[in-house]
Amino acid sequence: MQKQQGFTLIELVVVIIILGILAVTAAPKFINLQGDARVSTLQGAKAAIQAANSLVYSKAALTGVEKEPTFSVDIGISDGDETDPSNSVATAYGYLAGTAAAIQHAVDLNSPEWNISDTDGTVKIQQEGAPTNCFIQYKASQTEGSTPTFVSGVSDDNDVFLPMPTASDC
């Protein structure tokens, strides 16, 4: 007589329970991938603005206008618009001015994926379709020797705005 081989019901139940436990612990890591992606994209935009600011400040320092509250610095980038072949960008104390036009020109964030608006020297940068608090704000340099700052739309328990939103906010 041949002996049949296979799994018992108890063995199958144990395997299903172990897989269930693994799924419960691993699933939260993958549920908010979209929020993580949005935060990473905002971090990339922030890094691009900071890199552009380094170059703009260098150009401003070379021309001796880094102490001017407002000025226009030639950065050698044309928007390709034949009616306005301007290669310059507005600055505040040597850094990019707090205008959407200056940020878009220096960093090339002109795609329809971004909502970029400015108010009183502060530029709000948000991805199209992102939740309300998922954005960063660029505030232009206010005084000679100060650097521009970045804040998010999210505050901590002390009502201090964080430098970047978290994945749960995006």
Side-chain angles (χ1 to χ4, degrees), residues 45-120:
K46 178 182 174 184
I49 293 168
Q50 288 172 324
N53 252 337
S54 294
L55 295 173
V56 167
Y57 189 82
S58 297
K59 285 283 234 177
L62 287 172
T63 56
V65 295
E66 76 276 10
K67 296 179 182 179
E68 299 293 328
T70 57
F71 209 81
S72 183
V73 174
D74 183 357
I75 58 173
I77 299 174
S78 174
D79 285 336
D81 183 3
E82 297 301 324
T83 60
D84 182 25
S86 173
N87 292 332
S88 62
V89 66
T91 60
Y93 297 104
Y95 295 101
L96 289 170
T99 65
I103 298 293
Q104 288 173 322
H105 183 65
V107 185
D108 196 23
L109 291 177
N110 294 326
S111 75
E113 296 175 18
W114 296 98
N115 290 325
I116 301 173
S117 58
D118 58 59
T119 307
D120 297 329

Side-chain angles (χ1 to χ4, degrees), residues 11-77:
E11 290 171 327
L12 290 174
V13 168
V14 168
V15 169
I16 290 172
I17 289 172
I18 291 172
L19 288 174
I21 291 170
L22 287 173
V24 167
T25 57
K29 293 275 187 196
F30 301 107
I31 288 175
N32 199 12
L33 290 179
Q34 187 175 28
D36 289 334
R38 283 193 173 124
V39 170
S40 294
T41 304
L42 284 174
Q43 287 172 337
K46 178 182 174 184
I49 293 168
Q50 288 172 324
N53 252 337
S54 294
L55 295 173
V56 167
Y57 189 82
S58 297
K59 285 283 234 177
L62 287 172
T63 56
V65 295
E66 76 276 10
K67 296 179 182 179
E68 299 293 328
T70 57
F71 209 81
S72 183
V73 174
D74 183 357
I75 58 173
I77 299 174

Side-chain angles (χ1 to χ4, degrees), residues 89-156:
V89 66
T91 60
Y93 297 104
Y95 295 101
L96 289 170
T99 65
I103 298 293
Q104 288 173 322
H105 183 65
V107 185
D108 196 23
L109 291 177
N110 294 326
S111 75
E113 296 175 18
W114 296 98
N115 290 325
I116 301 173
S117 58
D118 58 59
T119 307
D120 297 329
T122 301
V123 181
K124 180 180 177 182
I125 302 157
Q126 184 174 30
Q127 281 184 291
E128 183 69 37
T132 307
N133 284 340
C134 186
F135 65 87
I136 56 173
Q137 286 183 325
Y138 169 84
K139 187 164 180 75
S141 179
Q142 300 297 306
T143 60
E144 181 184 333
S146 69
T147 58
T149 58
F150 290 89
V151 295
S152 68
V154 181
S155 59
D156 63 8

